[in-house]
């Protein structure tokens, strides 16, 4: 169901462990991002285009969230053909979806494009169901094992926060960490309990239901994030001065470490501004469809009134205001400074304040129907950027490619052709590493 009581029940069963607890996945995501960055230079120079590497990185990160570990499609030495085929099939299905929306007769007459869409959707759903069921069954077995009263603490292979605190000398304050609180109740062999382990522990869904949920989540968790990241790195590569300034902030705050906490995110205003400005200039989703719940009169600039009846669908143009020179200075320039806290504060009470409206903030929607994994995706984007930009200078192979692409509408907007990129190990003395 896409609406009504059944949908709300479905959404409510998932909210607590994904939507609300997004920050508790950060340590595991950071560990995966470190491994992704370790192989990034070699893989991009020898095996795979940067834009495809980013799609695989999106899969590796969200697989970590879902299952606790990843098969590392970003590492050609360990990636399986099955995992890589899933990423390709998910990309293809998303791209074809965009084409079908503009050509619905393909579906009516079951044309070749629609048949290709069905094949790729079948591949992704079959893969995701099978993998999710596997991890759900393992989580259930682990749960049953630790519930056995005869089990020995010495022989146990699972981690619990109370034991970590007692055995490793963790102080009381650190035990208040949200990750530690979750680990206090849920057995896990991973950095933090996976989404699937949490669902199994909650006990509201059986493993068959969980396996069905895994399919759309894993698919959406890969490509939506990849679209957003592809624009971010294109903007950073096309503006090396901005990238250097970002590297300086990351070093000043993180000093080479991973991004693992909300407090660190809050202390990185330029990173947040770079991502926000990328979405303003090159949004992956430039329109937002809405269904009107009541009649609305839209007053046009010339004074005309356009009446929209309840039940009608409209599309909000999310690109118009952010690209209007009436509200944004030099709107075609990538300038993250416009989203630093002091710039946002200075706009308050002026017409330009419109660009700070929450609807323009990110591509994951607003309100009760906001993307279930939207906050997790934003964390993934920040964590990977923090790791890659600390480790690598990302640049265009041909600087002229900065203006040779056009925004092509697939399911979302994507640069076409996407410029080739290269990664060079960042020189520490360029950002005053100590």
């Amino acid at each position: 169901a896409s609406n009504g009581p059944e949908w709300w029940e479905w959404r409510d069963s998932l909210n607590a462990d994904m939507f609300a607890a997004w920050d508790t996945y950060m340590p595991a995501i950071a560990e995966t991002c470190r491994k992704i960055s370790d192989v990034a230079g070699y893989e991009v120079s020898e095996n795979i285009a940067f834009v495809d590497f980013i799609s695989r990185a999106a899969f590796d990160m969200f697989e970590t969230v879902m299952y606790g570990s990843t098969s590392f499609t970003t590492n050609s030495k360990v990636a399986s053909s099955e995992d890589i085929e899933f990423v390709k099939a998910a990309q293809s299905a998303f791209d074809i979806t965009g084409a079908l929306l503009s050509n619905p007769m393909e579906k009516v007459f079951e044309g070749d494009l629609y048949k290709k869409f069905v094949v790729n959707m079948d591949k992704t759903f079959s893969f995701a169901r099978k993998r999710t069921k596997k991890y759900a069954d393992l989580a259930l077995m682990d749960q049953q094992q630790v519930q056995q009263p005869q089990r020995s603490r010495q022989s146990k292979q699972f981690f619990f926060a109370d034991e970590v605190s007692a055995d490793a000398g963790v102080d009381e304050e650190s035990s208040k960490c949200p990750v530690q609180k979750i680990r206090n109740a849920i057995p896990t062999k991973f950095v933090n309990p996976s989404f699937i382990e949490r669902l199994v522990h909650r006990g509201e869904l059986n493993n068959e239901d969980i396996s069905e949920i895994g399919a759309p989540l894993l698919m959406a968790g890969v490509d939506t994030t990849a679209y957003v990241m592809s624009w971010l790195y294109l903007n950073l590569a096309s503006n090396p001065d901005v990238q250097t300034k970002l590297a300086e902030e990351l070093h000043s705050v993180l000093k080479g470490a991973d991004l693992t906490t909300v407090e660190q995110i809050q202390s990185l205003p330029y990173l947040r501004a770079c991502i926000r400005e990328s979405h303003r200039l090159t949004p992956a989703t430039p329109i937002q469809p809405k269904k009107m719940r009541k009649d609305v009169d839209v007053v046009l600039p010339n004074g005309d009134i356009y009446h929209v009846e309840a039940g009608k669908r409209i599309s909000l143009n999310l690109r118009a205001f952010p690209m209007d020179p009436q509200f944004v200075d030099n709107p075609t320039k990538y300038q993250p400074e416009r989203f630093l806290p002091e710039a946002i504060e200075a706009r308050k009470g002026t017409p330009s304040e419109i660009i700070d409206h929450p609807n323009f903030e990110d591509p994951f929607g607003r309100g009760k129907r906001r993307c279930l994994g939207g906050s997790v995706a934003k964390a993934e984007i920040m964590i990977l950027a923090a790791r890659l930009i600390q480790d690598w200078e990302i640049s265009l192979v041909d600087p002229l490619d900065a203006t040779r692409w056009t925004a092509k509408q697939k399911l979302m907007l994507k640069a076409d052709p996407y410029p080739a990129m290269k990664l060079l190990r960042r020189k520490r003395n360029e950002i005053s590493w100590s």
Side-chain angles (χ1 to χ4, degrees):
S2 60
N3 210 334
E6 289 185 17
W7 183 87
W8 287 112
E9 182 180 354
W10 174 86
R11 178 65 185 245
D12 189 59
S13 68
L14 306 180
N15 268 349
D17 295 311
M18 177 69 75
F19 189 81
W22 64 271
D23 56 323
T24 63
Y25 296 102
M26 290 180 67
I29 295 170
E31 181 178 85
T32 294
C33 288
R34 193 183 328 120
K35 294 177 181 179
I36 291 171
S37 186
D38 285 344
V39 301
Y42 172 78
E43 293 294 339
V44 172
S45 64
E46 300 294 332
N47 292 317
I48 184 172
F50 181 79
V51 67
D52 294 325
F53 183 81
I54 288 302
S55 289
R56 295 188 189 184
F59 173 79
D60 291 349
M61 289 188 292
F62 197 67
E63 192 182 29
T64 299
V65 170
M66 286 282 290
Y67 308 129
S69 63
T70 179
S71 50
F72 282 110
T73 59
T74 46
N75 187 338
S76 61
K77 294 180 180 179
V78 301
S80 72
S81 58
E82 182 184 26
D83 293 313
I84 292 173
E85 279 302 310
F86 171 84
V87 177
K88 290 180 177 178
Q91 285 178 300
S92 180
F94 265 76
D95 291 347
I96 295 172
T97 300
L100 292 175
L101 288 174
S102 60
N103 186 10
M105 299 307 289
E106 272 283 338
K107 179 179 179 181
V108 174
F109 294 105
E110 297 188 359
D112 291 340
L113 189 63
Y114 177 71
K115 290 177 180 177
K116 185 178 179 182
F117 167 77
V118 172
V119 168
N120 283 288
M121 286 295 288
D122 286 347
K123 282 183 181 179
T124 57
F125 271 67
S126 175
F127 173 95
R129 284 193 195 100
K130 179 180 177 181
R131 180 153 299 185
T132 303
K133 182 65 162 55
K134 169 189 169 183
Y135 278 93
D137 288 345
L138 288 172
L140 184 60
M141 289 173 58
D142 292 343
Q143 184 184 63
Q144 293 170 344
Q145 180 179 339
V146 299
Q147 288 173 346
Q148 294 175 1
Q150 296 85 6
R151 70 183 179 92
S152 167
R153 291 173 67 95
Q154 287 74 26
S155 64
K156 179 176 62 68
Q157 297 178 358
F158 308 106
F159 303 116
F160 295 87
D162 58 345
E163 293 169 359
V164 171
S165 198
D167 299 338
V170 176
D171 60 31
E172 182 179 352
E173 187 64 30
S174 66
S175 69
K176 297 178 182 178
C177 166
V179 179
Q180 292 282 51
K181 287 182 179 180
I182 289 176
R183 292 180 68 181
N184 190 48
I186 303 175
T188 186
K189 301 173 184 176
F190 308 119
V191 174
N192 48 246
S194 71
F195 179 61
I196 298 305
E197 286 176 323
R198 300 178 199 204
L199 290 182
V200 170
H201 177 78
R202 193 170 292 276
E204 296 178 2
L205 301 168
N206 62 46
N207 281 10
E208 290 298 330
D209 290 336
I210 292 173
S211 68
E212 290 297 318
I213 289 169
L217 283 181
L218 190 61
M219 183 179 177
V222 172
D223 227 47
T224 308
T225 307
Y227 273 107
V228 177
M229 292 196 299
S230 71
W231 285 117
L232 172 63
Y233 292 110
L234 177 53
N235 285 315
L236 290 173
S238 302
N239 296 271
D241 291 345
V242 171
Q243 188 177 157
T244 298
K245 185 174 180 179
L246 174 58
E248 290 171 348
E249 179 189 70
L250 292 169
H251 167 65
S252 175
V253 175
L254 300 178
K255 294 180 170 54
D258 295 327
L259 176 55
T260 59
T261 69
V262 174
E263 290 73 22
Q264 288 172 321
I265 290 176
Q266 293 170 341
S267 64
L268 294 167
Y270 200 66
L271 172 61
R272 300 198 309 273
C274 285
I275 296 169
R276 177 64 185 85
E277 172 69 350
S278 181
H279 182 60
R280 180 200 68 82
L281 181 63
T282 49
T285 52
I287 61 173
Q288 188 178 91
K290 294 288 185 181
K291 186 176 181 179
M292 305 306 295
R293 299 178 63 182
K294 60 182 181 180
D295 292 357
V296 172
D297 288 332
V298 179
V299 181
L300 303 180
N302 62 2
D304 291 346
I305 297 177
Y306 189 83
H307 182 70
V308 183
E309 297 177 354
K312 296 290 186 181
R313 290 190 179 276
I314 65 170
S315 291
L316 304 178
N317 186 345
L318 302 183
R319 186 166 169 76
F321 283 113
M323 292 300 292
D324 190 334
Q326 179 181 349
F327 306 107
V328 181
D329 294 332
N330 301 314
T332 60
K333 183 179 180 181
Y334 182 64
Q335 189 176 320
E337 286 76 10
R338 71 176 94 243
F339 286 107
L340 289 175
E342 55 269 25
I344 295 173
E345 183 65 29
R347 281 194 294 272
K348 288 184 177 179
T350 73
S352 295
E353 185 181 18
I354 186 66
I355 70 170
D356 300 313
H357 191 281
N359 270 329
F360 298 131
E361 184 178 334
D362 61 51
F364 301 109
R366 312 306 305 170
K368 295 180 179 179
R369 282 188 172 270
R370 176 173 170 79
C371 174
L372 178 67
S375 295
V376 167
K378 289 178 69 174
E380 290 174 342
I381 293 164
M382 286 187 279
I383 294 168
L384 183 61
R387 187 69 272 155
L388 287 180
I389 299 302
Q390 286 191 94
D391 294 344
W392 304 97
E393 296 174 38
I394 303 173
S395 59
L396 302 174
V397 172
D398 183 350
L400 295 178
D401 282 347
T403 57
R404 286 175 175 162
W405 54 266
T406 57
K408 185 174 182 179
Q409 182 70 58
K410 297 188 178 180
L411 179 59
M412 301 180 192
L413 285 183
K414 195 169 187 178
D416 184 52
Y418 195 88
M421 295 192 188
K422 59 183 178 181
L423 277 63
L424 297 175
R425 182 66 67 177
R426 189 170 293 281
K427 297 178 182 178
R428 295 189 172 188
N429 59 358
E430 288 185 359
I431 53 174
S432 303
W433 290 79
S434 57

